Every structure is written in structure tokens, then in C-alpha cells.
Amino acid sequence: MLQGPDRRNFLVLAIQGLGAVITGALGVPALTYLFSPAKTKNDATWIDVADLAKLPAGEPAEIIFSRKRVDGWKVVTEKTSAWVVKTGETEAFALAPACTHLGCAYHWKQESKEFTCPCHASSFSIDGKVQAGPAPRALDRYESRVVNGKVQVGRVVSSESSGANGGKA
Amino acid sequence: MLRGVLEWLDDRTGIVSGVQHFLDEDIPASSGWHQVFGSIAMFGFLVQAVTGILLALNYAPTAGEAYYSLKYIVMEVTGGRLIRQLHHWGASLMIVIVALHMIQVFIWGGYKKPREATWIVGVVLLLMTLGYGLTGYLLPWDNRAYWGTVVATQISASAPGAGPYIARLMGVVDGAIGSVTFARFYAIHVLLLPPATMALMLLHVFLVRRHGVAPLPGDEALPKKKFYPGQVFKDTLAIFIYFAILYTLAVVARVPLERMADPTDTSYIPRPDWYFLFLFQLLKLFPGSLEMIGSIVLPTLAIIALFAAPFIDRSKMVMVRQRGFAVSLVLLAAAAWGSLTYAAVAGTPKSAQSEYDATLVEPWQHLTPKELIKPDAAAPEFAKLAARTYLKSGCTACHVANGEGGKLGPPLNAIMFRRDRAWLEAHFIEPQKMVPGSTMPPYKFAPPEMAAMLDWLLKLPPD
């Protein structure tokens, strides 16, 4: 049996040790609970958004379409948009509608032939490359394909990870 | 460095010396293991607060959606099942520990002068703990939650005089519970009770400090002990054991989520949580017009007796072995509680409803027969065989399974709650014998097909 200061030191150490085990056993699951992504996966289905033949050549068309999205515990059907650019008789790409700076919706400016963001004046070329302003990278694109003359989009891929048309112009 | 920071902090706030002062409390020589329960209860409350906040961060507090968000927490959020089960079992253990704490204080006579107020605050905290249990029971919004709460609100509504007002306060409209009741229970559970509990716990601890830990006769002659580290170590070890039990339960003992609350479900057998079962059983002892005695009179008297205990027993502190009457009283109450609870458990028939767990439903159980027969369908063989048999026999013409099929016959989802295996088999072979006047033709499937059909039908989920 320990006595005096040894006993006291042992007790203090035991209190701290047991406290640490409890904190860890609660803290670790709490952190994974908060930080791990949910197991829900969004099935990437292709959605028809436009007839390629009806799209204007040389300028983007803003297309609004609705898609299903898993939102936590529900599946919501929501409207979203894409700027679709026809690049040939069988080709097109689709830009995601949010500025890569802070997510504001940008618009096509016909006069200067560029996309401009109303929030902090970032501008992008028709293929999404950054022309000016604080935007850190090119506009994100939807996965897209043309099937039987219809433009179809899938999920949005960050321009950073795709590397398709790089960072600042 | 650390010392410097602590000195600065203490100079500006007094927190450090405050904590030291708190830990340096003198406690009687007789203090020891029997006094760990209060600390455990406090710790139990802390665990409920932490897990409750975590649940709330992924929970939709509205009737209906609550169910789906809880399902999401359990099935899709990493660690969600553990957090939910910690909260669930933590609530049960909280009741146990609060009861043990009270029993200890009662047997030792710790409620006696000058500690009456400490005891009364403790009784209020006990009632609040039960309040958490009552309101929290509704929050999963499954059938168990819904029907259990229907019974609980009906009991309160039957109270003489105050009944209708209590019902109105609980958001009960024409005897039915719904969105308003849910909102009120949720608000009581997370907005009203927690701050009130914290305030009363603080007052409770303050009163313990003000009067000191209850001494036993003979303590005056002995030198006092310090709260820290001796008693704190005992408290911490006890807390650790409590936590180990709770954690084991949360990992091992699965808490089901039944089918979503269905007010039209007449087959459901409602049951309150285990700690209210004795009350539920008590009602059966008072049939008819006497029911009020079991539902209102006796519980009210018990609560009054708890509050009044320090004023009824005004004798001096004595050693525990001389408290034979108090011990017998506790044993008597425990025996009554135990036998009532046992009778209630024994009298509860097992049903497909209470065995069902929505969090164990697998994705293939939601596939339509046509999806099941696809070669690449991810489903067990029996389900594929069943789907082939089902489609070949033309069942789709009259029955809906997972949203596919005709409406002439009854829908097949949730048939697990309505019929058992033997009934279904007999019905396939000779429908008119089981349902007179039925227009369903007989199906004498070969044994493997019959087995597959029955297995699959009984796996069709309710929603």
C-alpha cells in the first residue's frame, strides 16, 4: 500500500489517466461523427439539358434544368443551371454556374464576350479561364457528353482536380 | 510558462484558486465509496448533453422528418449509431444512477436536518430526469415513440381537474398527438430542461458544500479528510466503471428504430420505456373507475412522500445498521417495482412490429421484382428466385410490391406485420380458406419456390 506523497501522486495520475481515456473514447467518435462524410452517395445520372442543334455557335447558353440531389436524409429535386457552350457539330461542354471565388452566379457579357461575376468583378473567357479578378481558378465544368444530338451533364468536376483548362490565364 | 499563465489567470479571474478551494473541501472521516453516485449522475448528465448536442447537429426536429433524419444518423453518419446508442443507454443508466444516489442518501439518512433543501432539490432533479425520459421517448418518431406517448399523454389528460389543461399544454388536440406535441416535447427536452437541470445541479452542489457532506455519528471525534485526491479518485474510478458499462451497452446492444409512426396502425401494442413499465402495469391492478388511483393518486402520493421524507423522519443521524426501517422501505419499494416491471415485461407479447428494425433494411429489399430479376441485381438468391416466381405467376397484375404492380389485391409491403409465415403459406395453397370470398387463385409452388416467396414477402419493408 502506498503512503504519503507517493500515494497522492498515484491518485492524481490515476484521476488524470482515467479522465483521458473517457475523453478519448467520447472525443474520437464525436470528431469522426462531425468530420466524416456521410455514406450517402449521389448516383451520377446523365441528364438531358439541351438539343445541340438548337444551341447558338460561339456564345454560351444558360440552361436551367432540374436534378435530384441527396440532401442529408432526403432526396430533393431542385433547379440548377449550366452555361452550355457548343464547340462543334457533335461537341459541347457545360460550365457550372458558380464563380470559383466565392460562389456568386456569374453572367455572360455579350459586348466584351466574357463571363463576369457581379460580386468581385472576376471575369472568365468563354472556355472558363480566369481573365481578371480574384477568382483562384478556372470555372468548374460538368461532366458532359452528347448522345443522339442531346447534350447531357453529369456531376460537377472542380477545374483544379480536372486540370482541364488550368488555373489563371 | 504554464505556471505563469495560471498565475495570471488566477490573478485576473480567481478561477484557479476557486477550483483549488473546491477540491480542498474537508469531508467527514466516514466518507467513501458509498458517496460516489452523485458524481456519476453529474457525469451521466454530461454524456447526455454531449451526445444530445451531437445528435441535434444531424436531426430534423419535426414530426415525420425526425424519423428519416435519425435513420440517416444511424445508417449513414460515421459513428452515428454509437452516438445514438450512447444517448439511449445513457438515458436508461441515468435513471438507474439517480435512483441509486437517492437510495444511498435515503438509507444513510442524509436528508435530515439541515440538509432538507438539498434533498428537495434532488427530488426535483429526479422528476426532471423522468421528464427527459418522457419527452425524449417521442423524438425518434417511430411507432414505439408515437404509441408510447399516446398512452402517456392520455394518462395525464385523465387527471381530475387539471387533465384537460395538461393535455392542451402538451399540444394534444382531441386526444391525438401530432406536430404540436412533437414540437413541445422537443422544446422541453432540449430548451427547457437542460438549463433548468444545470441550475438545479449547481444549487444542489452548492447546498452540499454549504452544509458539508453528511457525517455519521462518531465523525466529530475523527480528523477530517480532504476531497482531493482521495475521494476524487474514488469518484473518478466509479465514473470510469459507469462509463465502461455504458460504452459496452452502446457498442453491443442494438437500439432498433421501428417503422415510422403510423397513427392508423391498430395492430400496435404500445409500451413505455422500462422505467415507466411499473406504472403501466399498476394501472391494470385498478380496473374501471378505480383506474385513477393507479394513474394519478398513487404516483402523486409517492412524489409527495419523497418531498416530505425529511419532515416525516426528524430523528438524529444514526449508523446505517440502525436504519432497519429505511432499509426495509427501500427493499419493499424495490420489490414492488421489480415485480410490477417483471409482470409488464412477461405480459408483453413479442410482435413483428417490435422486432422490426428499419436501420437493418438492406437496399435490395427496396428493389421491385423486375429489378430483382436483372442478372446484375445485388440481391440474395432467394429474392431473385422469388421475383422470378412472382413475375411468372402474374402476381403483379393484382399486387403492389415496392411500388410496382396492380391495385386489385392488397399491397404486399409491410405484410410482415399483418401475417405470419404459416398463414401466408396456407393462403397460397388455398386462399378462400384463409380469406372467404377471396378472388385470388391458389398457387401450389414447389418447396424451394414457396420458401423463397415467403422469405422475400416477409422482407418487404413498410416504407
Side-chain angles (χ1 to χ4, degrees):
Chain A
M1 199 64 184
L2 292 171
Q3 289 297 330
D6 280 350
R7 178 183 157 77
R8 191 183 164 87
N9 286 341
F10 168 77
L11 293 179
V12 171
L13 211 66
I15 291 166
Q16 290 171 346
L18 293 173
V21 173
I22 292 173
T23 311
L26 273 182
V28 172
L31 290 177
T32 55
Y33 177 88
L34 290 175
F35 288 102
S36 308
K39 288 167 202 147
T40 328
K41 52 183 191 309
N42 265 304
D43 297 334
T45 47
W46 293 98
I47 302 163
D48 285 353
V49 292
D51 279 330
L52 187 62
K54 290 184 189 158
L55 289 176
E59 74 178 83
E62 186 179 17
I63 311 280
I64 293 173
F65 60 99
S66 59
R67 72 179 335 173
K68 281 191 176 152
R69 186 170 64 86
V70 176
D71 181 15
W73 46 89
K74 2 180 215 196
V75 178
V76 290
T77 304
E78 61 186 8
K79 284 203 166 150
T80 181
S81 64
W83 287 92
V84 181
V85 181
K86 183 176 178 176
T87 50
E89 285 319 302
T90 55
E91 280 179 347
F93 62 84
L95 296 167
C99 174
T100 52
H101 179 218
L102 294 173
C104 299
Y106 56 83
H107 301 284
W108 177 249
K109 227 165 148 185
Q110 188 58 44
E111 316 83 80
S112 53
K113 300 265 183 221
E114 61 179 6
F115 292 111
T116 60
C117 177
C119 290
H120 302 90
S122 288
S123 65
F124 306 88
S125 63
I126 190 165
D127 61 358
K129 285 198 179 109
V130 181
Q131 308 275 21
R137 60 172 203 278
L139 293 171
D140 297 331
R141 289 184 177 203
Y142 285 95
E143 289 176 328
S144 62
R145 64 182 189 187
V146 176
V147 176
N148 298 331
K150 300 263 190 208
V151 182
Q152 297 183 329
V153 298
R155 72 183 116 214
V156 175
V157 181
S158 163
S159 65
E160 204 163 46
S161 64
S162 73
N165 50 348
K168 294 207 178 214
Chain B
M1 170 65 187
L2 183 66
R3 182 180 294 267
V5 172
L6 287 179
E7 271 170 17
W8 181 89
L9 193 67
D10 197 39
D11 184 56
R12 303 302 195 277
T13 66
I15 283 176
V16 180
S17 46
V19 170
Q20 259 160 15
H21 176 72
F22 184 82
L23 291 174
D24 271 341
E25 181 193 7
D26 283 328
I27 54 173
S30 66
S31 300
W33 287 105
H34 59 283
Q35 276 147 341
V36 298
F37 299 108
S39 300
I40 302 179
M42 230 169 178
F43 172 77
F45 175 75
L46 191 74
V47 173
Q48 291 312 96
V50 170
T51 52
I53 290 170
L54 286 171
L55 288 174
L57 292 173
N58 273 319
Y59 177 76
T62 50
E65 212 169 319
Y67 178 82
Y68 294 109
S69 61
L70 184 57
K71 203 161 148 183
Y72 165 80
I73 290 172
V74 174
M75 296 181 76
E76 285 163 36
V77 180
T78 313
R81 184 183 284 277
L82 177 68
I83 302 291
R84 190 229 173 173
Q85 292 183 174
L86 278 171
H87 198 72
H88 176 96
W89 292 117
S92 281
L93 286 186
M94 191 79 199
I95 307 269
V96 173
I97 220 67
V98 166
L100 287 178
H101 182 40
M102 256 186 141
I103 289 170
Q104 184 272 319
V105 173
F106 185 78
I107 289 180
W108 264 254
Y111 51 77
K112 291 180 188 179
K113 187 182 166 186
R115 298 183 177 80
E116 299 97 323
T118 323
W119 170 266
I120 288 170
V121 173
V123 175
V124 177
L125 281 167
L126 167 78
L127 296 177
M128 285 168 56
T129 310
L130 294 175
Y132 280 110
L134 185 76
T135 51
Y137 199 66
L138 179 64
L139 303 185
W141 198 250
D142 59 358
N143 245 353
R144 195 173 94 107
Y146 178 85
W147 288 103
T149 304
V150 167
V151 175
T153 51
Q154 295 288 331
I155 289 175
S156 334
S158 72
Y165 300 99
I166 297 174
R168 209 172 297 163
L169 205 58
M170 292 197 293
V172 178
V173 182
D174 299 331
I177 63 170
S179 303
V180 179
T181 309
F182 186 94
R184 301 221 170 157
F185 274 42
Y186 176 75
I188 292 168
H189 196 82
V190 307
L191 292 176
L192 206 65
L193 285 176
T197 311
M198 281 189 273
L200 284 184
M201 269 183 358
L202 217 64
L203 179 61
H204 197 66
V205 173
F206 168 78
L207 289 172
V208 171
R209 288 301 300 258
R210 183 181 161 87
H211 300 298
V213 171
L216 284 177
D219 270 341
E220 315 84 55
L222 297 167
K224 295 249 183 213
K225 298 198 286 193
K226 289 284 180 199
F227 179 54
Y228 184 83
Q231 184 67 30
V232 173
F233 169 74
K234 290 189 177 87
D235 286 3
T236 310
L237 190 58
I239 284 171
F240 186 78
I241 293 167
Y242 170 87
F243 183 69
I245 295 170
L246 169 60
Y247 214 82
T248 309
L249 273 174
V251 170
V252 174
R254 192 167 47 78
V255 180
L257 181 66
E258 293 184 6
R259 68 186 294 194
M260 186 162 136
D262 179 3
T264 64
D265 188 343
T266 50
S267 68
Y268 199 78
I269 307 162
R271 283 289 179 277
D273 218 346
W274 63 268
Y275 41 88
F276 285 125
L277 273 179
F278 77 102
L279 215 58
F280 184 82
Q281 191 67 18
L282 190 64
L283 299 193
K284 297 189 181 168
L285 302 179
F286 297 96
S289 56
L290 295 177
E291 193 183 58
M292 198 80 81
I293 298 176
S295 63
I296 307 287
V297 178
L298 286 181
T300 308
L301 285 178
I303 292 168
I304 292 173
L306 276 179
F307 276 116
F311 308 102
I312 298 170
D313 172 18
R314 303 168 74 104
S315 59
K316 287 232 172 325
M317 286 296 274
V318 292
M319 299 307 281
V320 176
R321 58 178 177 276
Q322 292 167 281
R323 302 252 315 148
F325 182 68
V327 174
S328 340
L329 216 56
V330 168
L331 289 178
L332 200 71
W337 180 87
S339 44
L340 282 170
T341 305
Y342 174 78
V345 172
T348 305
K350 271 198 185 306
S351 69
Q353 290 253 22
S354 58
E355 304 279 293
Y356 174 73
D357 187 346
T359 66
L360 296 183
V361 172
E362 294 178 41
W364 67 263
Q365 289 176 257
H366 289 291
L367 295 180
T368 65
K370 280 184 190 141
E371 286 166 339
L372 275 172
I373 59 165
K374 286 183 187 158
D376 59 341
E381 275 314 311
F382 78 84
K384 295 182 172 193
L385 174 59
R388 282 197 299 274
T389 313
Y390 183 87
L391 291 171
K392 202 166 63 194
S393 313
C395 308
T396 314
C398 298
H399 295 281
V400 177
N402 284 332
E404 184 183 282
K407 299 222 162 82
L408 234 62
L412 299 176
N413 285 75
I415 201 157
M416 61 173 100
F417 302 132
R418 304 194 298 269
R419 306 294 185 197
D420 63 20
R421 205 182 162 84
W423 190 96
L424 284 173
E425 184 167 10
H427 182 261
F428 269 130
I429 295 165
E430 207 176 335
Q432 285 71 25
K433 191 174 147 200
M434 307 309 285
V435 182
S438 167
T439 54
M440 176 159 148
Y443 291 94
K444 296 193 174 72
F445 300 122
E449 277 82 11
M450 178 63 90
M453 281 293 271
L454 296 173
D455 285 343
W456 174 66
L457 283 174
L458 291 168
K459 289 263 181 206
L460 283 174
D463 44 32

